[in-house]
Amino acid sequence: MNADLSIDQLRTFVTVADVGSYTRAAAHLYRTQPALSLQIKRLEEQLGTRLFERNGRRTRVTEAGDTLLRYARRILDLNEQAVAKLSMVQAEGTVHIGILEEVAHGPLLELLTKFGRLCTKIRLTLDVATSWTLAEQIEKNTLCLAVANTSFRRGPVTPLWTEPYVWVCNATFDVAAHPSLPLVIDPYPCPCPIGAEAMLALDAMERPWHPVFSSYSLTAMLAAIRAGLGVGLIARSAVTPDLRILSTADGLPEVGTVEVGLYRSAEAMSDAASLLFDFLREHLSQAEAITALS
């Protein structure tokens, strides 16, 4: 048995154990469920024992998993403390970071808060905007870092995770009752490739459509969809329980995914910017997820 345990695998193991679900753990870690399953499988093969078992709809640790869990928490805590003390405590400065609205309400903000607690001398300023706006600000060096759709990059970007998009409506909306599909979309012509491709797919299948509400604000679009104005195209992670996901069975074309990445401006070379860049890349990178899906 290889005695060296991977910090990344242990972090995945602890997260699955804490939330009791691969699906919820994948959302929390910004990775795919197959990638997490592969990590746990490799860890179990390395240790020669099962770490999880299914109990109804919940995933629970086995006896061996419970033993590992106690050690894993201590290892992760010590690793975090060492990194924080040795590389962060003395760093200071201001880092201006932009994030895509779709991820502004999730674990990413928790990560930034955690970074702020570790690096008390580094001040973070945060902008929430569309991906094309963030990419433009990175190019103009008005932002240090950004987490956004990589479709708008004009230079190197570090891939983080893949975000699927879906058609949604409210619980009572009847798609079949609308000969011309009312759409809640970005202002048309849509600068977002996934939206533009979706409109072309509707045209290709000769499905009439018309915009009823246009906005660059995800919050505004969700409000319009919930009000029953029409069908929207949003990131899967932004779907809430009060919305219904539509499919080809509802007469709509399949939509693809976008890649979310970590942008860094050419002038963001300070120690503070480098620390935050490395911190986000370490916690959000899905290198193993990409390997698992290839």
Side-chain angles (χ1 to χ4, degrees), residues 248-268:
T248 53
D250 299 290
L252 295 174
E254 291 185 356
V255 290
T257 61
V258 301
E259 181 184 69
V260 177
L262 181 58
Y263 289 70
R264 182 174 183 172
S265 74
E267 296 181 2

Side-chain angles (χ1 to χ4, degrees), residues 223-252:
I225 297 168
R226 292 189 180 106
L229 293 185
V231 172
L233 180 66
I234 64 174
R236 179 65 181 82
S237 61
V239 177
T240 51
D242 57 337
L243 298 178
R244 181 165 64 94
I245 296 178
L246 303 169
S247 67
T248 53
D250 299 290
L252 295 174

